[in-house]
Amino acid sequence: MDADKVFKALGDPTRRRLLDLLCERNGQTLGELCDNLDMARQSATQHLEILEAANLVSTVKRGREKLHFINPVPLHEVYERWVRKFESQRLSLLHDLKKELEGE
Amino acid sequence: MDADKVFKALGDPTRRRLLDLLCERNGQTLGELCDNLDMARQSATQHLEILEAANLVSTVKRGREKLHFINPVPLHEVYERWVRKFESQRLSLLHDLKKELEGE
DNA sequence: ATATTAGGCAGGCAAATACCTGCATGTCAA
DNA sequence: TTGACATGCAGGTATTTGCCTGCCTAATAT
C-alpha cells in the first residue's frame, strides 16, 4: 500500500464525497456519481483516477459504462498503521502537558 | 472537529512525519523537530501551524521554547466517522463485483 | 443507418501549496 | 549588559492541484 497516495486521496472533500456515494450504493457509473457532484464530468473523472491510483476504488467496464467499486482495504491499513498508533498516546497527553508546565 | 482540516493535515508526508516524531517523544521543541526534517525551520513551522489548526497538535510556550504535543482525539474521530463506515463494506465488495460482471 | 449516450483525451488557467531567504523579537546565560 | 539562541513575521517563487472547455471514440437505441 502506498500510504501517501491514500492520505492524499482522502485529503480532498470531493473524493471523500465520492467514497460516501459509493458507500451508499456500490458499483455506480461515472455519470451517476457526477449527478451528485456539481462539477464537470472530467473533474470527477480526475478525482476518481486519484482514488483508483490509491487503490481505494476499483472499476469495471460494462459496455460503454464504467462501474466504480469502493475498496476499504487501504483504509483499514491506514487505520492499523497510523490511527491506532496515535490513539495509544491518548491517555498520556494531559500528563505530559502537566509535567512540562511544571518545568519537568 | 473540522474533518477537512484533519484530512488535509494528514495529506502531507512531512506532517505525518512530525506526528510520528511526537509519537516517539511528546513535547518536543520546534528546533528538535526541525533537526529531523531536512528543511528550513520556517517550513516546519508552517506544517506545525497546519497540524495545530487541525487540532492534531497543541503547543505550550516555556520561556523562549515552544513545546509541541500530539492530540490523538481528532484522529479517533476521523476513524469513527470515516474508516469504520467503509470497513463495514469490506465483505460485500467481491459480491458486488461479481453481481455486476454477471450483468446484475 | 443514424442519433444519442457514456466516457476518454488534451490542453489551459487560477488558486493553493510547499518550499525558501531575510529580518525582527524575545529569552537566557556569561 | 551583551551575545547567543529559539522562535516569529513578511514576503517571494516554483510546483501542484482542481477546475474548466473542446473535441474524439465507442456503444446502445430508434
Side-chain angles (χ1 to χ4, degrees):
Chain A
M1 178 200 52
D2 186 333
D4 194 48
K5 282 186 184 175
V6 175
F7 277 108
K8 282 244 172 71
L10 293 174
D12 181 273
T14 300
R15 292 193 282 273
R16 292 196 302 277
R17 174 110 178 89
L18 281 167
L19 291 179
D20 261 342
L21 290 170
L22 288 178
C23 209
E24 286 173 18
R25 188 162 59 82
N26 218 351
Q28 293 187 62
T29 66
L30 174 59
E32 286 171 329
L33 292 170
C34 283
D35 289 343
N36 292 284
L37 275 195
D38 197 41
M39 65 174 59
R41 175 177 49 85
Q42 190 53 31
S43 306
T45 299
Q46 288 178 351
H47 285 299
L48 286 164
E49 280 167 1
I50 289 170
L51 288 171
E52 208 172 342
N55 202 28
L56 285 162
V57 162
S58 306
T59 61
V60 175
K61 282 216 157 193
R62 186 179 60 182
R64 63 182 163 181
E65 292 174 318
K66 188 172 190 181
L67 307 176
H68 298 79
F69 296 87
I70 196 170
N71 177 17
V73 175
L75 275 169
H76 186 72
E77 290 179 19
V78 158
Y79 171 66
E80 284 295 335
R81 295 198 199 176
W82 285 88
V83 182
R84 274 175 62 143
K85 175 180 181 182
F86 296 126
E87 276 189 311
S88 65
Q89 296 277 329
R90 181 140 54 142
L91 292 174
S92 60
L93 172 66
L94 285 176
H95 179 250
D96 293 340
L97 256 171
K98 221 170 184 176
K99 245 176 52 180
E100 289 297 334
L101 285 173
E102 288 161 359
E104 211 150 359
Chain B
M1 180 200 51
D2 187 332
D4 194 48
K5 281 187 183 173
V6 175
F7 277 109
K8 282 245 171 70
L10 293 174
D12 181 272
T14 300
R15 290 192 284 271
R16 291 197 302 278
R17 174 111 178 85
L18 282 167
L19 290 179
D20 260 343
L21 290 170
L22 288 179
C23 209
E24 286 171 19
R25 188 163 59 82
N26 218 352
Q28 292 189 64
T29 66
L30 173 59
E32 285 170 331
L33 293 169
C34 283
D35 289 344
N36 291 283
L37 276 197
D38 197 41
M39 67 175 56
R41 175 179 49 86
Q42 191 52 32
S43 307
T45 298
Q46 287 176 351
H47 284 300
L48 287 165
E49 280 167 1
I50 290 170
L51 288 171
E52 210 173 339
N55 203 28
L56 285 161
V57 162
S58 306
T59 61
V60 174
K61 283 219 157 192
R62 187 180 58 184
R64 62 183 164 183
E65 293 174 318
K66 187 173 189 179
L67 307 176
H68 299 79
F69 296 86
I70 195 170
N71 178 18
V73 175
L75 276 169
H76 186 72
E77 291 180 19
V78 158
Y79 170 67
E80 284 295 335
R81 296 199 198 175
W82 285 89
V83 181
R84 275 176 61 144
K85 174 179 181 181
F86 297 127
E87 275 189 312
S88 64
Q89 296 277 327
R90 180 139 56 144
L91 292 174
S92 60
L93 171 67
L94 285 176
H95 178 250
D96 294 339
L97 256 172
K98 219 172 185 175
K99 246 174 54 179
E100 289 295 336
L101 286 171
E102 287 163 0
E104 208 152 0

